[in-house]
Amino acid sequence: MRIFKFGGASVKDADGIKNVFSVLEKVGHEDTLLVISAMGKTTNALELVIKNYFEKSNELHSSLQEVKKYHYQILMDLFEDEEHDVYFAVNSLFADLEYFIRSNKSPNYNFVYDQVVSFGELISTTIVSHYFAQAGLKNNWIDVRNFIKTDNTYRDANVDWEKTQQLIAKGVKKKALNITQGFLGSDENNFTTTLGREGSDYTAAIFAYCLNAESVTIWKDVPGVMNADPRYFENAILLNQISYREAIELAFYGATVIHPKTLQPLQRKEIPLHVKSFINPLLPGTSVSKGKDLEPQTPCYIVKRDQLLISLSSIDFSFIMEENISEIFALFHQYKMKVSLIQNSAISFSVCVEDKFGNFNDLKNILAKKFKVAYNENVSLYTIRHFNKEAAEMVEKGKTVLLKQISRETLQVVTKE
Ligand code: ADP
Ligand code: ASP
Ligand code: MG
């Protein structure tokens, strides 16, 4: 079986969905499982609904209307017959969402978040599945929550591999075209969970692992994995082939074209990953596979914006020792701050972190009890893999460098623009 993942950008409007159909016509659709994300920026739009809900804002209704309007426009562009079953199916999903918002009693933000954002994927897959059927392509819509089981860490759930493996191996129809949602799972009590933003690539890898798939293809709005994000770097070039190792490094440092959790399950079973263009589906794109000799021969640039540079020093000039460091890391873990760079000296310790969940203020107060805390907000972390002198100069040009770290293959610079 092949696993295809189509992200938000590929299904952002009616033409996008028609294009996905034409991609399948070109590359085949037998014995294939499609993992599909929410349409366009729907997850962000639903995040706004959740924010308005918790803030009891007057905008709650209008923010939800926006989400509806967007999807009904796509429906009208795809289905002329207003009596088509798809309208009934989507109405009923929106009714479920509104019912949840009206009747929810849980004050747990992360729990509510997952129950609400999941409608993005449920609605998008429902629309795509009906559209394919209308266009004569039989397919099997499956609710991923019956297959991917997780713990109840809402917004960042951990997969229960044993249960998931059993359910997928038993329940997914072989030879057919299956359509399911990315990013979602469910916990022991069957409440919806999510795997972390941009987690649909990971969903594709989970299915591939459990089905021993022949390959995974993630279809993108770019030709494949490039040596830099073409949105920010002119003259980015395509990397035709890279190793799992290189792809993990690039994703870890922040190349958002692949979700970092995607690679490990694939690498364990040596399932090849293809990153291809949904605009030019017959071009080869990038292949990610095993092999030491697949290192790019050119510098690869990665930028992470909106980072925090935190420097901790001891209040009394004592050394920052192992026990301090382990305590600090336990706190970062507890406050869900992802560390992307570490540097330490005798009495100070600096880290560049990402505060995805807005926890820094709370953490800062705790750290301040033991350390002198200095920090810079809104800094950028540039990473260059396979760097050379020109590449380093280019990245630093015109910026204030706050911190720099060099290893054999990788140069990292924290800058303030
Ligand atoms: P999806 O629609 O699957 O969610 P994303 O928007 O998350 O797709 O990922 C595709 C985007 O990743 C591209 O539009 C591109 O701007 C960005 N990107 C970041 N780094 C790279 C890279 N090294 N190579 C190609 N694209 C990259
Ligand atoms: N829709 C989710 C998000 O935007 C998951 C994904 O697209 O991968 O984060
Ligand atoms: Mg995405």
Side-chain angles (χ1 to χ4, degrees):
M1 186 174 259
R2 294 175 308 175
I3 314 293
F4 285 177
K5 181 259 176 171
F6 286 95
S10 66
V11 290
K12 69 176 193 310
D13 51 25
D15 284 343
I17 296 166
K18 290 179 185 167
N19 180 61
V20 170
F21 181 78
S22 90
V23 170
L24 294 184
E25 281 187 314
K26 289 188 183 118
V27 302
H29 41 70
E30 249 193 36
D31 204 17
T32 302
L33 181 135
L34 303 190
V35 172
I36 300 178
S37 304
M39 295 175 164
K41 302 272 177 239
T42 299
T43 307
N44 293 359
L46 288 168
E47 282 186 342
L48 182 62
V49 171
I50 297 157
K51 182 169 172 280
N52 289 335
Y53 169 77
F54 275 99
E55 291 175 358
K56 299 194 169 44
S57 157
N58 295 334
E59 314 275 296
L60 173 60
H61 178 74
S62 62
S63 55
L64 188 55
Q65 281 311 110
E66 279 298 311
V67 178
K68 281 180 140 182
K69 218 171 86 191
Y70 170 63
H71 286 93
Y72 283 109
Q73 182 61 53
I74 294 176
L75 279 174
M76 288 185 305
D77 293 343
L78 293 174
F79 304 90
E80 276 174 17
D81 175 7
E82 283 173 24
E83 305 286 306
H84 194 289
D85 281 355
V86 72
Y87 286 96
F88 177 78
V90 173
N91 289 346
S92 137
L93 286 164
F94 275 119
D96 290 350
L97 170 58
E98 283 167 331
Y99 176 76
F100 175 81
I101 291 175
R102 245 190 349 264
S103 59
N104 170 62
K105 299 272 184 306
S106 169
N108 179 342
Y109 185 92
N110 293 343
F111 168 79
V112 171
Y113 181 101
D114 283 1
Q115 309 321 300
V116 172
V117 287
S118 51
F119 281 91
E121 269 68 14
L122 293 170
I123 294 167
S124 75
T125 49
T126 300
I127 295 176
V128 171
S129 169
H130 278 91
Y131 175 72
F132 284 5
Q134 171 178 270
L137 180 53
K138 262 176 78 183
N139 64 87
N140 186 33
W141 183 91
I142 55 186
D143 187 333
V144 75
R145 297 170 299 178
N146 298 329
F147 293 93
I148 296 187
K149 297 305 288 184
T150 68
D151 65 6
N152 63 1
T153 313
Y154 299 110
R155 286 181 79 187
D156 196 17
N158 299 297
V159 174
D160 180 334
W161 282 95
E162 212 171 301
K163 280 192 199 149
T164 300
Q165 166 81 66
Q166 277 173 11
L167 289 165
I168 290 181
K170 201 170 73 206
V172 173
K173 236 173 139 180
K174 311 278 163 10
K175 306 279 172 229
L177 171 65
N178 294 286
I179 297 186
T180 199
Q181 308 77 40
F183 178 52
L184 315 183
S186 71
D187 68 10
E188 219 178 15
N189 297 315
N190 291 328
F191 285 115
T192 305
T193 56
T194 63
L195 307 173
R197 283 301 309 259
E198 302 295 331
S200 297
D201 293 354
Y202 183 41
T203 305
I206 298 168
F207 275 100
Y209 183 90
C210 296
L211 290 164
N212 294 315
E214 71 180 70
S215 64
V216 173
T217 306
I218 52 180
W219 297 92
K220 299 276 170 178
D221 59 356
V222 284
V225 180
M226 310 183 80
N227 75 327
D229 185 337
R231 271 180 307 182
Y232 303 119
F233 285 77
E234 279 173 35
N235 314 322
I237 55 168
L238 179 68
L239 306 173
N240 299 305
Q241 268 200 306
I242 51 174
S243 63
Y244 292 114
R245 165 86 201 267
E246 186 65 27
I248 289 175
E249 296 277 357
L250 294 173
F252 169 80
Y253 288 118
T256 53
V257 64
I258 309 176
H259 188 282
K261 280 188 180 168
T262 312
L263 276 321
Q264 200 241 7
L266 300 183
Q267 181 259 335
R268 279 179 60 193
K269 288 208 172 163
E270 291 186 21
I271 298 169
L273 170 68
H274 304 290
V275 183
K276 293 179 48 142
S277 158
F278 59 70
I279 301 153
N280 293 305
L282 297 176
L283 294 181
T286 302
S287 292
V288 183
S289 59
K290 196 177 153 187
K292 274 207 188 82
D293 48 347
L294 300 180
E295 305 314 317
Q297 302 300 311
T298 180
C300 297
Y301 304 84
I302 305 136
V303 197
K304 273 190 168 191
R305 299 183 198 275
D306 262 342
Q307 305 289 296
L308 255 169
L309 179 65
I310 308 174
S311 297
L312 305 174
S313 43
S314 48
I315 291 169
D316 54 2
F317 271 89
S318 62
F319 297 126
I320 297 219
M321 301 296 273
E322 286 81 354
E323 59 269 31
N324 298 112
I325 292 179
S326 67
E327 192 188 340
I328 295 166
F329 270 96
L331 285 167
F332 283 136
H333 180 67
Q334 190 186 333
Y335 284 81
K336 292 191 164 293
M337 317 244 314
K338 198 168 162 279
V339 177
S340 21
L341 181 151
I342 308 160
Q343 197 161 69
N344 79 317
S345 72
I347 55 160
S348 87
F349 178 80
S350 298
V351 277
C352 191
V353 297
E354 194 168 324
D355 184 19
K356 256 204 220 152
F357 296 91
N359 289 334
F360 180 56
N361 259 334
D362 293 342
L363 175 62
K364 192 172 64 190
N365 296 334
I366 299 196
L367 290 170
K369 289 186 187 142
K370 279 194 117 172
F371 306 98
K372 214 165 93 198
V373 183
Y375 60 94
N376 294 83
E377 289 172 300
N378 295 323
V379 301
S380 298
L381 171 63
Y382 286 85
T383 303
I384 314 176
R385 298 262 308 151
H386 317 290
F387 64 97
N388 57 27
K389 197 162 153 268
E390 295 85 71
E393 281 169 6
M394 187 184 92
V395 160
E396 289 174 27
K397 201 169 154 200
K399 304 184 187 86
T400 310
V401 174
L402 301 174
L403 193 153
K404 190 171 188 165
Q405 197 168 77
I406 301 179
S407 64
R408 203 159 50 87
E409 288 295 349
T410 311
L411 167 73
Q412 291 194 285
V413 198
V414 179
T415 68
K416 188 96 196 160
E417 315 271 310

